């Protein structure tokens, strides 16, 4: 690791929310709540059967808002680290849940969108939403039904804030991937971009993924993340 660590980028995936009770993508074996991904997480699926897609996200939103689902120690320590680390810190998440925000993270990019937001297809305006919505829901800009979709990046769509992400990857000293299988592009390539720009790279996961990080820390996120970040704070 470089003498002076001035900039740290962290990427999280579904594994950081697993201990909070949110199913991972891999655990669904390519199925999500028993639906083929193509049917519920692609623009074509939404085109084919919008009601199924609305229901899929309404169900996941209600699960996220249930009493049982709350941030775990990994989310909390990431927020604590962000506020104690003296250098630049950016948290990029592939997750669409709001557990990082609820734990106190602030400099955060949801590259795949957010479950608690919806978007008007006409104006592209984005609105907070905690209730179910569907084709019949009036949007708050057009005041008519039929224009709303989940503010989620589906497969085949461009992830959000890629310029900001690439700038951070190209200038960081340390890149840490937590709870991600490295199966979904372009997030799966982020560690290589950081490495090419001489960052030290580490993955914290239940198992080694196929990606070639400098460090592989194996264990549950709620255990290994606090330890790793405490050490990182000592050496920065
Ligand atoms: C793009 C929102 C161009 C949805 C998500 C054909 C046509 C078009 C595109 C493609 C194509 N073929 C391939 C692609 C690219 C495609 C892709 O990667 N497909 C895969 C399936 C092959 N990607 C895209 O389409 C992306 N857009 O490429 O645009 C482009 C090109 C270049 C530059 C810019 C743009 C858009 C992808 C976004 C899809 N939307 N989410 C929703 O949530 O409903 S992705 C979805 O997958 C989730 O966000 C989730 O986060 C992610 C899965 O990845 P992980 O987070 O890693 O989760 P996973 O379950 O896989 O792994 C969990 C890990 O945690 C495991 O390793 C496990 O061991 C670990 N773990 C479990 N428990 C714990 C733990 N670790 C620690 N502690 C624990 N307790």
């Amino acid at each position: 690791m470089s003498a002076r660590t001035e900039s740290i980028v962290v990427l999280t995936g579904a594994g950081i929310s697993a201990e909070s009770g949110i199913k991972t993508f891999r655990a669904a074996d390519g199925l999500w709540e028993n639906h083929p991904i193509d049917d519920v997480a692609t623009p074509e699926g939404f085109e084919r059967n919008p009601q199924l897609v609305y229901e899929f996200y309404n169900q996941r939103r209600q699960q996220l808002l249930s009493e049982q689902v709350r941030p775990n120690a990994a989310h909390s320590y990431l927020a604590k680290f962000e506020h104690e680390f003296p250098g630049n810190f950016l948290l990029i998440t592939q997750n669409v849940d709001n557990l990082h925000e609820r734990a106190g993270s602030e400099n955060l990019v949801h590259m795949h969108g957010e479950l608690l937001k919806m978007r008007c297809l006409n104006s592209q305006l984005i609105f907070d939403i905690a209730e179910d919505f569907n084709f019949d829901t009036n949007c708050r800009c057009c005041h008519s039904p039929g224009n709303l979709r989940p503010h989620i990046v589906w497969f085949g769509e461009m992830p959000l804030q890629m310029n900001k992400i690439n700038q951070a990857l190209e200038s960081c000293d340390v890149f840490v991937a937590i709870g991600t299988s490295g199966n979904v592009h372009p997030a799966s390539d982020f560690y290589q971009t950081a490495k090419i720009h001489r960052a030290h790279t580490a993955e914290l996961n239940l198992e080694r993924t196929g990606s070639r990080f400098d460090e592989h820390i194996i264990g549950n996120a709620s255990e290994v993340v606090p330890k790793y970040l405490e050490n990182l704070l000592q050496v920065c």
Side-chain angles (χ1 to χ4, degrees), residues 12-16 18-19 24-27 32 41 56-57 60 94-96 112 152-159 162 179-186 204-207 209 219-222:
T12 60
I16 199 170
E19 292 165 271
T24 65
F25 179 70
R26 288 292 130 235
W32 231 328
F56 176 66
Y57 287 99
R60 286 171 65 194
Q94 300 173 85
N95 301 338
V96 295
H112 291 160
I152 295 280
V153 177
W154 287 323
F155 288 96
E157 296 185 320
M158 181 68 83
M162 285 302 293
T180 180
S181 62
N183 285 295
V184 175
H185 177 81
L204 282 60
N205 197 307
L206 277 185
E207 60 192 8
T209 64
N220 269 308
S222 65

Side-chain angles (χ1 to χ4, degrees), residues 24-75:
T24 65
F25 179 70
R26 288 292 130 235
D29 307 324
L31 284 180
W32 231 328
E33 311 291 349
N34 303 319
H35 296 292
I37 300 298
D38 278 352
D39 289 353
V40 293
T42 62
E44 296 76 14
F46 183 63
E47 188 69 31
R48 257 194 322 272
N49 186 347
Q51 195 48 36
L52 172 66
V53 175
Y54 285 124
E55 282 163 13
F56 176 66
Y57 287 99
N58 287 343
Q59 179 221 339
R60 286 171 65 194
R61 190 176 309 108
Q62 293 321 315
Q63 189 222 0
L64 173 60
L65 294 174
S66 67
E67 234 329 272
Q68 299 75 18
V69 175
R70 52 177 77 98
N72 62 57
H75 297 103

Side-chain angles (χ1 to χ4, degrees), residues 75-177:
H75 297 103
S76 310
Y77 263 79
L78 271 170
K80 177 173 177 290
F81 183 86
E82 174 183 350
H83 297 117
E84 292 176 3
F85 174 59
N88 298 319
F89 178 87
L90 177 66
L91 174 55
I92 304 163
T93 188
Q94 300 173 85
N95 301 338
V96 295
D97 63 53
N98 66 339
L99 297 179
H100 284 306
E101 294 89 331
R102 284 166 57 185
S105 290
E106 290 176 5
N107 199 9
L108 168 63
V109 170
H110 275 280
M111 65 178 290
H112 291 160
E114 298 176 63
L115 208 42
L116 297 177
K117 288 190 165 48
M118 61 186 178
R119 187 166 82 231
C120 172
L121 293 163
N122 293 335
S123 65
Q124 299 308 310
L125 285 178
I126 296 164
F127 304 101
D128 291 336
I129 184 74
E131 305 78 36
D132 290 359
F133 74 96
N134 60 28
F135 192 79
D136 302 325
T137 307
N138 279 358
C139 80
R140 298 170 203 165
C141 45
C142 315
H143 306 293
S144 61
N147 307 321
L148 290 166
R149 63 164 276 179
H151 180 52
I152 295 280
V153 177
W154 287 323
F155 288 96
E157 296 185 320
M158 181 68 83
L160 305 173
Q161 302 194 55
M162 285 302 293
N163 291 338
K164 176 173 181 173
I165 289 172
N166 282 319
Q167 276 165 19
L169 293 171
E170 289 164 9
S171 56
C172 71
D173 306 302
V174 175
F175 175 81
V176 186

